Amino acid sequence: ADGDPDGRGRLVGAILRGGELGPYTLSEPFELGADAGFTAPAAGDLYLRCRESWGALGDNTGEVTVAIRRAP
């Protein structure tokens, strides 16, 4: 999930907000990687992907396990 030395393939996230409360907006992507912790910038749905161009995703292999827990 850390990607290559240039960061290509690194796990990144974004929060999708809105819907019933207004227009949908997507937060700026934030870096995660293999052993990251983060505090969500806002309430919403978390989306994860690897940082790579959309046209280059088809040749990727492997899997990542993601654990999410509420901060104490």
Side-chain angles (χ1 to χ4, degrees):
D2 283 334
D4 67 15
D6 295 329
R8 188 175 52 242
R10 176 179 289 274
L11 182 66
V12 296
I15 303 291
L16 180 65
R17 301 177 293 246
E20 293 179 19
L21 303 176
Y24 285 106
T25 57
L26 189 63
S27 74
E28 288 296 315
F30 45 89
E31 299 280 324
L32 292 171
D35 292 311
F38 79 101
T39 300
D45 296 328
L46 173 64
Y47 285 83
L48 303 173
R49 72 178 298 258
C50 67
R51 184 175 32 168
E52 190 168 25
S53 65
W54 288 102
L57 294 173
D59 64 349
N60 294 341
T61 61
E63 59 186 54
V64 175
T65 300
V66 177
I68 299 174
R69 64 180 165 85
R70 181 177 287 214

